[in-house]
């Protein structure tokens, strides 16, 4: 069974404390989906976790995932893949929801891999990073939101 591919990125403006996230998901059946969101008074780690949770919302339990994220976000997500001896206390609500979505608390454990992606080239990782930056700016102006990325924009993503 082929894994669903997921590119995720987060952005954060420490001066204004707003942040954004975005993901592009390519299913094994060829369907492509993307969403972006953001919030005020947040952290980059929280945005990375919120983005992953949003990406998992409508996936069937147990479906395998291949996740690619920029290094700062991959370091946050790695704590879900291989939990440290002392779990991070921050963002406990998102971490609990992700543990459930990833199957860590149920018998149908989801298998997933995590890789560091370089958002510098014309790749789905760069596309997600650009949308995360845009989402961060939008959250600064208007507060919390989640929107789908338009299909015509997703059709232009190189490397899917």
């Amino acid at each position: 069974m082929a894994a669903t591919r997921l590119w995720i990125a987060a952005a954060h403006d420490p001066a204004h404390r707003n942040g954004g996230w975005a993901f592009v998901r390519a299913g094994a059946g060829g369907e492509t989906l993307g969403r972006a969101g953001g919030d005020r008074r947040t952290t980059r780690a929280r945005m990375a976790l919120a983005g992953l949770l949003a990406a998992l919302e409508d996936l069937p339990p147990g479906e395998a995932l291949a996740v690619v994220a920029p290094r700062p976000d991959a370091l946050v997500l790695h704590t879900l893949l291989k939990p440290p001896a002392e779990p991070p206390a921050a963002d406990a609500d998102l971490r609990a929801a992700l543990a459930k979505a990833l199957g860590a608390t149920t018998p149908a454990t989801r298998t997933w891999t995590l890789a560091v992606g370089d958002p510098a080239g014309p790749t789905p990782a760069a596309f997600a990073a650009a949308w995360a930056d845009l989402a961060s700016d939008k959250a600064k102006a208007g507060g919390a939101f989640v929107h789908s990325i338009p299909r015509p924009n997703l059709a232009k993503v190189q490397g899917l």
Side-chain angles (χ1 to χ4, degrees):
M1 174 186 215
T4 295
R5 296 175 300 154
L6 174 64
W7 294 268
I8 185 167
H12 184 252
D13 178 357
H16 298 102
R17 296 181 49 211
N18 56 286
W21 55 264
F23 73 82
V24 176
R25 189 175 73 200
E31 66 281 352
T32 303
L33 172 74
R35 288 193 197 113
D39 204 353
R40 292 179 178 160
R41 292 178 283 292
T42 189
T43 63
R44 183 175 183 131
R46 185 162 184 82
M47 291 293 92
L49 295 169
L52 179 59
L53 186 59
L56 298 175
E57 276 180 359
D58 53 357
L59 278 181
E63 187 167 327
L65 280 175
V67 180
V68 178
R71 183 171 174 70
D73 306 326
L75 291 173
V76 171
L77 300 178
H78 187 262
T79 64
L80 299 168
L81 187 60
K82 297 198 183 254
E86 277 295 317
D91 308 315
D93 58 331
L94 288 175
R95 291 179 184 282
L98 280 164
K100 185 177 179 182
L102 292 169
T105 60
T106 63
T109 300
R110 183 184 307 272
T111 58
W112 64 294
T113 60
L114 178 63
V116 174
D118 180 16
T123 65
F127 180 84
W131 273 88
D133 286 339
L134 185 69
S136 179
D137 288 343
K138 183 174 172 66
K140 179 171 71 173
F145 77 96
V146 174
H147 289 295
S148 292
I149 297 174
R151 291 202 184 273
N153 293 54
L154 289 169
K156 297 176 186 174
V157 179
Q158 296 178 12
L160 286 180

